[in-house]
Structures are given as structure tokens and as C-alpha cells.
Amino acid sequence: MFWLVGFVLLFVLPILNVLPAEDSWLHVSDFALNRFGKFLAFAILALGLDLIWGYAGILSLGQGVFFGIGAYCMGMHLMLTIGSQSVYGSALPDFMVWNQVTELPFFWKPFYSFSAAVLAGLLVPACFALIFGFLAFRSRIKGVYFAIITQALALMAWLVFNRNETNLGGTNGLTDFKTLLGFRLSDPGTQLALYVVTVLCLGGAYAMCRWIIASRAGRVLIAIRDSEQRVLFSGYSPATYKLFVFVVSAMLAGLAGILYVPQVGIITPAQMGVLPSLEMVVWVAVGGRATLVGAIVGAVGVNLGRSVLTNSFPELWPFFLGGLFVVVVLLFPDGVMGMARQVRGKFAERAARLPKSQAVEGEQT
Amino acid sequence: MDESHHRMKRLIGIGVCVAYLGWFVLGSVVAEAQTNVSPSPPLEQALADLSSEVDGTREQAVRLLIEQGDASLLPRMEELRANADRSLRMAIKPVIDTWRHRANLASPDAETRRTAATDLGMNGRVSAISWLETAAANESHRWARYAMEESALLLKLASDDPAVKQQAAAKLGEMRSQNAVPALQALVQAGGGESATAEQKALAQRATAAIERIESWNVWSSTIETLFRGISLSSILLIMSLGLAIVFGLMGVINMAHGELMMIGAYATFVMQECFKLYAPESWFDSYYLAALPAAFLASALFGLILEATVIRFLYGRPLETMLATWGVSLILIQGARMYFGDLTAITAPSWLNGGAQVLVGVFLPFNRLFIIGLSILSVMGIYALLFRSRIGLRVRAVTQNRSMSACLGILTRKVDAYTFAFGSGLAGIAGWALTLVGNVEPGLGQNYIVDSFMVVVTGGVGKLAGTIIASLGIGGLNKLMEPSFGAVYGKVLILVLVILFLQRRPSGLFAVKGRHAEG
Amino acid sequence: MTEHGSIIYLEGVTVDYDGFKALNNLNFIVNHRELRVVIGPNGAGKTTLLDVISGKTKPAAGRVIFGKDRDLMGMREYEITQLGIGRKFQAPSIYGNLSVWENLDLSLSRPSKGIFATLRGISTAAEREEIDRTLETIGLQEQVRKRAGSLSHGQKQWLEIGMVILQDPELLLVDEPVAGMTDEETEQTGRLLQSLAEKHAIIVIEHDMEFVRQIARIVTVLHEGTVICEGTVEKVQADDRVREIYLGRQKVAHG
Ligand SMILES: Nc1ncnc2c1ncn2[C@@H]1O[C@H](COP(=O)(O)OP(=O)(O)O)[C@@H](O)[C@H]1O
Ligand SMILES: [Mg+2]
């Protein structure tokens, strides 16, 4: 299944984009492929969120922050590569000229380098999560307390990124990117390449998450969800495991941000605030908690629905999203995957995957 | 008088509509006829001189008129102004203003008297000193008298007699007069130059001392005002958090739609206002606000009841799921309000909440803020009485502590849940009602404070009202204290950091119910 | 003054809940390979005693020494667990969403329970064997692959005991293990505890006097946070004060 879907995403769609004639029904347009690439970037984030919420039962309402940091890191690099092609013709980004900043702020300087930007996009969210998570988990802040604190984090980040004096473009964010590694972002070829990279990253992220949850550490995560006290008295330090999974999820969110920016072409604080962070939770809820495939299905599905609905009935989207929150939580706590499982009856995929027969009957990871 | 009678007869002859219109005209004419007593000869001369083009004549006429004329000449003056050119209008204006202010010194409204006094002091006519002093002697309103005395002293600063000047400067310092600072500074400057006379220097010394006194008082008064703003924000947070804390503390439910229940309360207030505009006599308008209180409470409580019955009931014991579902509800409510009411809706505060109370020199407390502070205190007392002094409260607490035992004792736990939630929601409605006094009514109203009030609940801990009160005082106060030095945004960031650090010491808040029951 | 033969040594331990002393200047010693039963009326502080030993509650005063000279004060729960103190809770505490096997596998004592070890770790044949053996002991062979959450109450209790056994602790803390069990299950549990006592030290908290008589060698009676009496079942039952506060009260309740 994994290989089949991977094959379709990695080869069939790009080939359908390149080979058939524009008007053929088989043709996948550049626009559609680009959109799909964006959804797959979101899916990477959803995987991380699923690890922490679906498996370990810790609801983080601050994933948007990590996503945003990753995206801004990439965005800053793209801003700097614009160079003097910008509207004002200055080597500084346009908004700095506009804000009468005359010298590039020191923290922008490393972002001339592409690899530094990518590294920062992964490591800055990780460090952030490490410090924040350390403080939170060490003092055993959990459940709704953790959710509320992370939500406050999202609000703060949004406030700070909105300010002009932080030199991150204020409300308008970073945009008008031109090239990436010398390739023009407006070229369909570049976008195709970005799509392929996104698929590969998603595949890698999926494999890593699979590996984590199939290991004993993965079972400790589920154990934490079930009974943190027992975990403690089985000799594990729940805080360490939580911190680990929080950092991993932050890095995946950062990676999603890195891939998002060149494909979408803009990043603003609006993408990292309270509401987007909550929406991310809904992706996972819709797909089905504690199933990695569900996280991907949810992220792609909800965003597909969003782009269809916001095109035709923009004012109905909040109703739809709100309704989705309520309906999924109340009626389909296991999401799409749960429904699929019910339809197909009980099957023991997970049992087959684990060595010998120790897994739960009829349960799937 | 005769003339008007004639006109009257003529007007009665014309149709009813015209008569009605004419009544106004007539009224004004009668008024004119009554006030138009002829002035004394020198004033008459001065009035005529105003139109003179000769240099100096006009100025002299203005001075004379200001010093000796009074409000009875106003109609003449208005008439003059109506036909005057620009330069004449400019010349007349101070005359008219002075007369008006002088007349206003005797106004029945204290605020009018006070403004008039302040304006007289600013415009610097020595003749006003005696008026102000006379008025001050009869004045009973503290701040009106203050303004009169202050203005009189300000005018004395411009006097020719150095002794008077020095005394005035000293007295102004004693009074901590804000308005005197520019004038005093000018004196300091005048006394600081090389060419300053000994007299000027002595005066400058007095002025410096006075400024120091005023400024050291300013530190106090601004501290008091900051404190007040902090308390005011705290009480807003408190009112919002109370409902949240009750629902969370007693039922373990985190209601993310709490802000929207508040919004419903605010819109209920707005609807009540519109109803009064449409259906009630104008003189009743101010009472719409009182009528809106039960409306806001009931509207939000009803929504809460519906929310509990359709969503929350199925999610007891699953706080994270409750959070998500209620967030969904909040999205729907916000968008619903946006589509139905539009983006911005204005509320006119009732007139009895306009203005404020001056308690000290430079310390002005707006009534609407005072009202909210009072409301929050009342709410706390009301909730306390309800929870700890009534049978209903006893049941609620019983269910909180031991659900199954309560059920065995014949308490209808379902009902208690529903009513508790409805009550918490109604409190949100009251918060929304109060918030219309300090902000716009808009669909996003609930979102503005909601994260802050969640922080209050988290910091305060579950299950103890005192925690909520202290936490809202702390967070609201810190917010306002840090705003001047860090700016609103970084102040907030700092508060988040402080809350996280605080939770390091006390992970379940200030007043957590300790023990095994609180875990898991 | 540590007594060298003891596995756990509590001296002057006081636990204070807002002025209420759940444990009051308590002294308590258990020796290696001893099976000690702690009894006492409800609210006497029995569970709190286990909380203090296992690190769940930090006492306001006193010393807690494990083995020769290991001071447990200020250590975290999982550290204490890794030292070799296992705990079975009053209400069954297991992982409902994992299979019985996975429950046991997670509890198995291993050199490292850190994140990197568990990410890589694969069960060795010896470990499997040990789990199988424990499964036999607790009689859940048939249920290996079942979700632990779907077990019956008694089975959950047994599973938790199995989990604690697999931790291979030197000291076992067992809180009311037979509450809610049938007579037959109770007797089996008693036998199990006695066989375990051959290798481990065990502290059992129990109300059921029948059960106490079955397993106990030495009984400690706790009342209002302090030890009232200690000795054989016969001695304890003969003690006047114990009669008054514990047995006496029970008689009144029955009569
Ligand atoms: N976390 C806590 N907070 C406050 N009081 C507690 C706490 N834990 C236990 N207590 C009190 O301490 C006393 C002893 O409790 P416990 O050790 O559970 O008694 P038992 O002997 O029945 O196991 C009881 O009165 C209980 O109410
Ligand atoms: Mg107990």
C-alpha cells in the first residue's frame, strides 16, 4: 500500500503533468500539482501532530508556530536571494526599505546560505520546542493546561511576528520571491521539482514515524496516553518521551514550513496564529488519530475541501470547519480511518507487522 | 412688544403648518426683543468702534468690551459677527468667548462652570481674576472651585506686581496645578538669562520649586492611574474568567466558545438598544442598558443550555475533545454573527456612564471603568453567595465532589450539570454586557480576551474562586504595569513567560485542589 | 541510624496536607525477603505510606532509606522504580490500549529505559521467555493478544501484579490486591504473594482479615499516620488498642 501510493504520488502524477497534452483528461495541470504539493507539505506537519496528540495524547495547539518558524526561515532565504531585483532595487528586502531599515539585521545574515536556512528551519523549531517542552513537561503541565499554554504561545508568536520592528515583514509577511538555488520559482519545472522533493520528504517522514511507533518507544507513547502514572512506575521518565516526541513534531512542522513557502510563494503571521494551529488538529482528527495514514488523509482531505469551498462559498468555510470540529469529535472520534476500519471489518494489519503475535487483535497502528 | 403682537396676528392668519414654523421664528424674535436692552454709552461707542478700520481703535474697543461688557450684549455681537469680515470676526471672537465663559461661571452644571473657568484662565484677561475669585467664593463643587482658583492664579502670574506673581507661583505649586506648568516654565526661562533682573531671578526660583512639586505629584498621580487601569483590566478579565472558572472548576469543562457566549451577551445588549430606539420614547433610552442585563444573561444562558445539551453532555470526562468541539462551535457562532450583524456595531453608552469622577488633582476615573470594577465585585459576591450559602450551591458542590454518591442521594446530576453550565454561560453574557462599555460590539469580541482569561483560569487553579480572583488581578495588573516599558505585545509575551515559570513551581495553579482526585 | 539488614527504613516521616498529617512522625522498617502486611482503618495513611516510599509524595520531614544507604528523598518516581521498588496500585493501573503482551514487555526490567534505548531495542529470546513465564504465573496465556482494557477486573489486577513482577524489584509495594476478587482468586493471589516473598521483600496493604491471616507473618497496624502496634497476627489481634481502633470498630460495624 505504502509503495503503491508512493509510486502514484512520485511518478504517476508528475508524468501526467508532463506528458499528456494540456487538454487531455489525463493531464494534471501545473496549478493542481502545485496545490497538491502544498497539501502534502501540510501532511508532513500532520504526521508530527499525530505522533504527539494521536499517540501520546498531548494536545499541542502551537504547531502553527513551529510551522511558521520553518516557513519564515525559508522565506528569509528567498527574500535575500531576490537581491536587487526587488521593487526598490535595494539589496535589502522591500519591506525593510519601506520601514527605513538601512542595514540588514544581524539575524538575517546567515540566511544568505540555503543550507543554513534549511538547517535553521529544522533546528530553530526544535530548540524552541525543547526549551518550551522542557519547562512544561518537567513541571508536569499536561492535558488542557498544556493545550492552553501552547495556544497562548501561538497567540504570542502571532503578535510578535506581526510587529514591524521584529524585521520580519510585519502583517504582510514575506513574499515576491523570485528564485531558489538559481531556478526561477515561476517555472513549472521548478515547481515540479519542489513537488517531488515534498513527496520524498513526506515519504521519509512517514517512514521515520512508522519506525518510532513500531519501536518500544512508540508503545511507551501510547502507554503515556493510557496511564502516565503506570509509565512512571514502570521506570520510564514520561517527561523525556514527551519532550522527544514534541521536538520531533516541531521539526516536522518546521520541515512542512520549509517546503510550503517556495510552493505557495508567501508566508504571513496569519498562517501561524491560533486558528491555523487549531485547524491542523482538525486534519488529524478528521483523518483519524493514532493512524499515520489517517494524518496524511486528513491533511490532504480537509485542505482539498477548503480550497473547493473557499473558492465557491467563502463565507461558508467557517461553518464547515466548525461543523467538522463538532461532528468529528462527537460522532467519528476515529475519523476517516476509523470508518474505513469499520467498513472493512476487523483486520490485524498491525499484528502482522509486529514480530510474533504480541499486538492487540484487530487494532491497527 | 407691540411689534411682536402685530406679527403674531399676521402669522395666525396663515395656515397651521406655517404657524407651526413661524412659532420658532417668533420665539427667537421675542427672545431678541427681551434681551436687547440698550447698553451704556461707552459700551455703545465701543461696539461701534469695532467696525473701525483705524489702527488701535478696534483693539481698545475689544479690551473695553471684554472688561465691562457682559452676556447681555451677546445678541448684538452675534448680529455684528454675522455681517463681519474675517479680521473683524477674529477680533470679536475673544470678546464673545469671554462673555460666554463669564456667563457660564454661573451655570447650574458644575462641569460647565469648570470648563469655563479653565478657559478663562488659559485666555489670559486680567479682568477675569475678580470674576473667578467671586465665583470661587460661592462655589460648592470641589473641582469647579479648584479650576476657578487655579485660573485666577494663572492670570495673576501675568500681573505686574512681582509680589503677586511670586505668591501665585507658590500657590500654584501647592495646588499641583498641571495647567500652570508651561507658564511656570516660561518664568524659569525668563529668570535664567544673563540679562535677568534680580526680581525675575527670585521669581524663577519660586517657579522652579513649584514645578518640582507639581512633577513629583505627577509621579504619584500617574502611578495611581496605571494602577487603576490595571485594576480595570483585571476586573474585565475577572468577569470573563468567573464563568470560565465555574464551568472548568466545577465540571472540568474547558469551553472554548466562552468568548462567543460573551459576544452573544454583547449583541443582546445591542439588540436591546435598537429596540429602545425603535419602540420606546426617547427619554427612556438610557434605561435600555439596564434592561439589557437580564437579556444578555438569559440569551447567553440559553445558548449555553443548548450547547450543553447538544455537544458538551456527550464529552464529559474528555476535556481535550470538549475543547476542540467547543472551538468548532465558536467558529460557527462568530461567522453567524458576522453574517447577520455585519462587522461593526456601535453601542451608545447610557449617559449616566459618560464622564468620570475626579478624585485627586490629575487623577480622573471614568465611570464606565468604575462600573465594571463594581460589577466584578458584585459578581464575585453573588457567586460566592450562590455556591456557598444556598441549597442549589450545595448540590452543585456535592455533584462536583462525588457524582455517583450525589446521584444516590437523589440529586439529579444531569440537571445540575445543565444548570451549572447555563449559569456559567450567563455570566459570560454579563461579561459581554459590560464589555460593550469599553469596546465595539463585533463578532471577534470574544477572541480578544479569551486567551488571557484561559491563562487566568490556568494560573488560578481549578476549583477555588480565590485563585481566579488573584490570578486575574495579577495578570491584568502586570499587563498594564508592563505596557509602558515593554509595549503591549512584549508585555504579553513576558506574561506568558512568567506564567510558565510560575507553573514550574505550582503546576496546577495557585489554589489547586490537592490530592489524588485532582489528578489524571 | 540505618539498620543494615533492612530493605526499607523510614524514620520520623511526616506528610502534611494543609495541616492534616496523613503520616505523623512515622517509623517503619522492613527487612530483606520479608512479607509485611500493613493494616489499619480507612484513612489511616496506608496508601500514603506507599506513596512516600515510591516517591509519589514528598514528605515534609523524615528520612527514607532504601537498602543499605540509598536515600530516596528527592528522587523521582521512575528513578526509584529503576532502583528496584515496584508498585501495584489500589485501582488497577495498566495500559488499556496495549495488548497484554505489550503491557508486560514495557514493564520488563531492562538496563536502560531511556528514549534512545527503547527506539532501538528489540526483545531478546531470554526476555521473551521471562514474559512467557510470568504469563503462566498470572494465568493470562490465553489473553496475550487481547487489549488490556478489555480484561475483567480480576484479570487486570493480575496483569498489574505480573507487570510489577517483571520489573524484578527488590521491594514490592502492593495496595489492596484482592479488593473485588472472588474467594478463589483471593486465595490464588495469596499463594502468589507468598511464593514471591521467597525472593523479594513485599509490603502488602490489606483490609480482608481472612486474607491477612492467610499470608501474614508480621503485621503492622497504622492509625492516624503512626504505627500503633507491630507483631504476629495473634499478637496484633490481642492488642487492646488495636481492638479498640480497628477490630473493635469492625465489630461495632458488624454488630
Ligand atoms: N493528596 C491528598 N491531599 C489531601 N489529603 C490527602 C491526600 N492523600 C491522602 N489524603 C488524606 O490522608 C489520609 C490518609 O489517606 P490514605 O493514605 O489514602 O488512607 P488509607 O489508609 O485508607 O489508604 C486520608 O484522610 C486522606 O483523606
Ligand atoms: Mg488506601
Side-chain angles (χ1 to χ4, degrees):
Chain A
M1 188 68 182
F2 172 71
W3 297 112
L4 179 68
V5 174
F7 178 76
V8 170
L9 290 178
L10 196 53
F11 296 107
V12 177
L13 286 183
I15 287 173
L16 289 182
N17 170 246
V18 176
L19 287 186
E22 295 265 321
D23 49 2
S24 156
W25 62 272
L26 273 173
H27 179 71
V28 174
S29 73
D30 293 340
F31 176 76
L33 198 72
N34 175 247
R35 266 297 158 81
F36 205 61
K38 175 175 116 178
F39 299 162
L40 295 182
F42 284 150
I44 296 177
L45 183 146
L47 282 176
L49 189 54
D50 196 20
L51 272 190
I52 186 161
W53 181 46
Y55 286 94
I58 303 161
L59 181 56
S60 160
L61 297 180
Q63 294 305 100
V65 177
F66 305 127
F67 171 80
I69 294 176
Y72 267 88
C73 285
M74 194 61 197
M76 282 157 82
H77 171 69
L78 293 175
M79 274 327 253
L80 290 178
T81 56
I82 299 173
S84 48
Q85 284 172 293
S86 56
V87 177
Y88 290 107
S90 157
L92 289 178
D94 279 340
F95 74 86
M96 289 194 195
V97 179
W98 180 253
N99 289 336
Q100 300 177 333
V101 174
T102 49
E103 201 189 331
L104 197 65
F106 72 96
F107 66 92
W108 273 75
K109 294 206 169 114
F111 290 92
Y112 277 114
S113 144
F114 172 77
S115 42
V118 171
L119 219 60
L122 293 172
L123 293 185
V124 176
C127 290
F128 219 77
L130 194 69
I131 296 168
F132 192 87
F134 174 77
L135 290 175
F137 298 135
R138 188 187 72 144
S139 60
R140 301 195 182 162
I141 297 175
K142 53 186 157 190
V144 287
Y145 287 76
F146 187 76
I148 288 170
I149 294 285
T150 48
Q151 183 171 53
L153 178 72
L155 180 72
M156 302 305 147
W158 178 77
L159 283 172
V160 169
F161 275 69
N162 257 318
R163 306 285 300 181
N164 275 330
E165 76 262 10
T166 43
N167 279 317
L168 290 167
T171 324
N172 299 327
L174 309 176
T175 187
D176 285 335
F177 310 131
K178 298 280 192 296
T179 60
L180 174 62
L181 293 173
F183 300 101
R184 296 194 60 77
L185 282 171
S186 50
D187 281 350
T190 314
Q191 289 299 334
L192 183 63
L194 280 168
Y195 169 83
V196 171
V197 170
T198 308
V199 174
L200 289 175
C201 285
L202 178 61
Y206 178 81
M208 182 187 73
C209 294
R210 193 67 295 153
W211 173 66
I212 291 176
I213 56 158
S215 73
R216 189 171 294 120
R219 264 161 282 150
V220 175
L221 292 181
I222 299 177
I224 289 174
R225 190 182 67 192
D226 282 349
S227 168
E228 192 168 336
Q229 175 173 279
R230 186 75 255 171
V231 173
L232 209 47
F233 288 105
S234 295
Y236 301 91
S237 154
T240 312
Y241 283 81
K242 289 176 175 183
L243 193 57
F244 167 75
V245 73
F246 191 45
V247 169
V248 168
S249 78
M251 285 176 84
L252 288 176
L255 177 63
I258 293 173
L259 293 166
Y260 171 93
V261 161
Q263 296 190 78
V264 177
I266 181 168
I267 177 72
T268 70
Q271 266 89 54
M272 62 189 302
V274 171
L275 186 55
S277 301
L278 266 151
E279 223 181 297
M280 293 161 187
V281 174
V282 151
W283 303 340
V284 177
V286 167
R289 295 172 56 178
T291 59
L292 292 177
V293 177
I296 299 175
V297 169
V300 174
V302 174
N303 280 293
L304 209 62
R306 182 200 185 97
S307 61
V308 170
L309 257 168
T310 44
N311 265 339
S312 27
F313 316 98
E315 73 277 13
L316 289 189
W317 169 245
F319 288 124
F320 183 74
L321 185 62
L324 211 55
F325 266 101
V326 179
V327 168
V328 167
V329 168
L330 277 184
L331 305 178
F332 307 106
D334 291 325
V336 175
M337 295 309 287
M339 282 192 284
R341 220 170 19 223
Q342 274 175 2
V343 171
R344 276 188 283 175
K346 299 199 167 193
F347 80 115
E349 190 201 342
R350 177 157 161 246
R353 197 178 298 281
L354 287 172
K356 291 277 163 64
S357 48
Q358 302 123 17
V360 173
E361 275 169 356
E363 276 274 311
Q364 183 210 10
T365 317
Chain B
M1 282 295 178
D2 265 3
E3 189 188 293
S4 67
H5 275 292
H6 280 298
R7 283 192 193 174
M8 197 182 213
K9 274 175 197 160
R10 279 219 305 272
L11 286 170
I12 290 168
I14 309 174
V16 181
C17 294
V18 183
Y20 185 71
L21 197 99
W23 203 69
F24 282 103
V25 179
L26 179 79
S28 60
V29 171
V30 170
E32 189 175 319
Q34 278 168 345
T35 51
N36 217 351
V37 288
S38 36
S40 63
L43 283 178
E44 192 66 63
Q45 179 60 41
L47 279 173
D49 280 351
L50 279 178
S51 319
S52 153
E53 299 284 325
V54 183
D55 252 9
T57 318
R58 183 182 281 172
E59 282 72 20
Q60 207 165 7
V62 165
R63 203 175 310 135
L64 188 84
L65 282 169
I66 284 181
E67 275 161 23
Q68 298 184 9
D70 58 37
S72 65
L73 291 173
L74 267 176
R76 291 279 301 273
M77 217 54 166
E78 294 286 359
E79 194 182 311
L80 202 61
R81 190 167 76 159
N83 310 318
D85 63 2
R86 207 181 114 77
S87 74
L88 181 53
R89 275 208 304 272
M90 296 279 285
I92 294 178
K93 189 171 181 311
V95 180
I96 295 182
D97 283 351
T98 311
W99 288 350
R100 282 241 170 90
H101 291 326
R102 186 178 175 188
N104 280 345
L105 280 182
S107 153
D109 176 38
E111 193 51 38
T112 316
R113 296 200 295 276
R114 182 176 161 181
T115 339
T118 311
D119 279 359
L120 278 175
M122 290 297 171
N123 291 332
R125 301 285 165 181
V126 182
S127 58
I129 295 178
S130 61
W131 308 338
L132 285 165
E133 281 176 342
T134 330
N138 302 323
E139 181 59 64
S140 58
H141 187 272
R142 183 176 164 203
W143 298 105
R145 189 169 63 240
Y146 178 90
M148 289 165 183
E149 285 166 359
E150 180 188 37
S151 292
L153 289 169
L154 269 175
L155 296 177
K156 280 183 184 166
L157 272 189
S159 119
D160 298 329
D161 183 349
V164 172
K165 270 186 172 176
Q166 289 195 4
Q167 216 179 359
K171 193 87 208 314
L172 282 168
E174 256 167 57
M175 291 177 74
R176 275 96 179 165
S177 157
Q178 268 303 298
N179 293 334
V181 174
L184 289 171
Q185 269 164 352
L187 288 180
V188 173
Q189 211 144 49
E194 294 277 304
S195 54
T197 61
E199 216 171 70
Q200 276 175 322
K201 280 186 180 147
L203 190 57
Q205 242 172 13
R206 284 285 174 97
T208 315
I211 291 178
E212 265 167 22
R213 282 186 92 156
I214 295 171
E215 276 173 355
S216 72
W217 173 251
N218 276 355
V219 174
W220 279 109
S221 66
S222 68
T223 311
I224 294 173
E225 283 207 316
T226 307
L227 226 63
F228 177 73
R229 276 199 299 273
I231 294 175
S232 152
L233 178 66
S234 300
S235 52
I236 290 178
L237 284 181
L238 178 58
I239 293 185
M240 291 192 38
S241 315
L242 277 176
L244 213 53
I246 284 191
V247 171
F248 185 38
L250 297 182
M251 309 167 71
V253 167
I254 282 280
N255 179 15
M256 298 280 265
H258 192 79
E260 280 54 54
L261 292 170
M262 231 164 61
M263 172 197 81
I264 288 172
Y267 274 113
T269 312
F270 170 73
V271 168
M272 193 51 92
Q273 169 189 276
E274 296 304 296
C275 287
F276 267 68
K277 268 189 193 156
L278 285 177
Y279 305 115
E282 206 169 318
S283 57
W284 290 14
F285 179 75
D286 272 350
S287 43
Y288 90 85
Y289 194 68
L290 290 182
L293 172 61
F297 182 86
L298 290 177
S300 299
L302 183 68
F303 256 89
L305 215 52
I306 296 172
L307 182 61
E308 202 272 344
T310 53
V311 178
I312 289 174
R313 174 149 79 98
F314 305 103
L315 298 172
Y316 282 131
R318 289 153 66 194
L320 292 180
E321 274 86 348
T322 316
M323 263 180 106
L324 293 177
T326 48
W327 180 268
V329 172
S330 93
L331 282 183
I332 294 173
L333 289 177
I334 292 175
Q335 185 66 4
R338 182 162 288 137
M339 285 172 74
Y340 187 80
F341 288 104
D343 260 339
L344 206 108
T345 327
I347 280 270
T348 318
S351 59
W352 43 272
L353 282 177
N354 286 332
Q358 176 125 32
V359 285
L360 295 167
V361 179
V363 181
F364 183 80
L365 309 182
F367 284 138
N368 55 2
R369 303 264 168 186
L370 284 173
F371 178 79
I372 290 179
I373 294 175
L375 182 68
S376 67
I377 296 172
L378 273 181
S379 305
V380 169
M381 296 197 311
I383 290 168
Y384 186 83
L386 201 65
L387 273 184
F388 297 99
R389 293 276 178 275
S390 78
R391 294 184 60 83
I392 303 174
L394 183 65
R395 280 177 195 195
V396 170
R397 283 182 293 138
V399 172
T400 310
Q401 279 174 14
N402 194 332
R403 179 167 294 270
S404 41
M405 179 58 92
S406 305
C408 289
L409 291 174
I411 298 175
L412 299 172
T413 53
R414 267 293 303 130
K415 245 185 174 162
V416 169
D417 286 339
Y419 290 158
T420 310
F421 193 81
F423 178 68
S425 308
L427 283 177
I430 294 184
W433 173 72
L435 274 185
T436 58
L437 292 178
V438 291
N440 285 321
V441 179
E442 45 171 354
L445 172 93
Q447 300 291 304
N448 295 338
Y449 294 92
I450 192 74
V451 175
D452 276 341
S453 51
F454 275 126
M455 300 267 270
V456 166
V457 174
V458 166
T459 315
V462 183
K464 286 266 169 76
L465 273 179
T468 310
I469 296 168
I470 295 176
S472 56
L473 278 175
I475 290 184
L478 275 180
N479 234 320
K480 287 292 165 198
L481 269 178
M482 295 201 284
E483 225 174 75
S485 29
F486 296 98
V489 167
Y490 299 109
K492 271 194 170 102
V493 175
L494 218 66
I495 285 179
L496 173 66
V497 173
L498 287 179
V499 167
I500 291 175
L501 292 181
F502 169 78
L503 290 177
Q504 297 294 301
R505 299 240 125 255
R506 287 170 168 271
S508 32
L510 270 174
F511 285 99
V513 180
K514 285 184 208 138
R516 297 170 193 141
H517 322 287
E519 271 170 32
Chain C
M1 269 208 270
T2 313
E3 205 162 290
H4 282 280
S6 69
I7 178 103
I8 193 81
Y9 174 87
L10 276 74
E11 183 188 306
V13 170
T14 299
V15 171
D16 197 319
Y17 290 120
D18 293 327
F20 173 79
K21 290 197 165 59
L23 291 183
N24 193 358
N25 197 16
L26 178 93
N27 298 312
F28 183 72
I29 301 176
V30 175
N31 291 323
H32 282 284
R33 310 249 165 92
E34 185 181 344
L35 194 160
R36 174 71 61 91
V37 177
V38 178
I39 62 171
N42 260 326
K46 305 181 296 288
T47 304
T48 309
L49 170 65
L50 299 195
D51 284 350
V52 167
I53 297 174
S54 62
K56 190 164 180 243
T57 300
K58 304 287 169 231
R63 293 203 303 158
V64 185
I65 308 290
F66 177 64
K68 252 193 168 138
D69 50 6
R70 199 59 186 251
D71 190 353
L72 296 186
M73 298 275 280
M75 280 176 81
R76 299 222 164 204
E77 293 97 317
Y78 63 93
E79 293 166 338
I80 293 179
T81 304
Q82 286 190 329
L83 276 183
I85 296 182
R87 177 160 185 193
K88 148 98 191 64
F89 285 91
Q90 200 164 336
S93 162
I94 51 160
Y95 310 125
N97 279 310
L98 294 176
S99 71
V100 168
W101 176 280
E102 286 167 332
N103 268 276
L104 294 171
D105 179 62
L106 279 190
S107 309
L108 187 65
S109 140
R110 290 194 169 84
S112 170
K113 291 195 166 180
I115 177 81
F116 297 109
T118 50
L119 273 174
R120 278 182 276 102
I122 308 161
S123 314
T124 62
E127 287 171 343
R128 266 178 225 292
E129 223 167 273
E130 203 176 337
I131 295 175
D132 278 332
R133 227 178 307 128
T134 310
L135 271 170
E136 215 169 299
T137 317
I138 57 175
L140 290 177
Q141 298 104 310
E142 301 296 306
Q143 281 81 16
V144 218
R145 289 176 56 196
K146 264 204 171 143
R147 257 184 84 238
S150 65
L151 297 178
S152 73
H153 179 79
Q155 286 173 325
K156 283 181 185 165
Q157 296 277 42
W158 279 71
L159 174 58
E160 196 183 353
I161 293 176
M163 289 162 74
V164 178
I165 295 172
L166 275 171
Q167 288 175 17
D168 194 25
E170 286 180 61
L171 174 63
L172 249 93
L173 310 174
V174 187
D175 201 345
E176 304 199 17
V178 298
M181 282 191 178
T182 62
D183 284 351
E184 195 192 335
E185 284 171 333
T186 304
E187 215 185 297
Q188 278 180 328
T189 310
R191 277 202 297 275
L192 176 62
L193 287 176
Q194 276 177 317
S195 71
L196 285 172
E198 287 160 18
K199 279 196 291 179
H200 317 261
I202 308 181
I203 300 175
V204 183
I205 289 176
E206 197 40 72
H207 270 305
D208 186 339
M209 284 313 287
E210 198 62 41
F211 183 69
V212 173
R213 254 178 241 119
Q214 180 195 342
I215 61 168
R217 295 161 211 174
I218 296 186
V219 177
T220 301
V221 185
L222 221 59
H223 179 54
E224 291 177 349
T226 38
V227 175
I228 292 293
C229 172
E230 209 165 70
T232 59
V233 182
E234 292 72 33
K235 182 190 161 200
V236 163
Q237 279 186 319
D239 190 289
D240 281 347
R241 286 211 299 166
V242 176
R243 260 172 201 284
E244 191 184 320
I245 59 151
Y246 186 74
L247 302 168
R249 200 177 290 175
Q250 251 190 0
K251 264 181 197 149
V252 172
H254 283 298

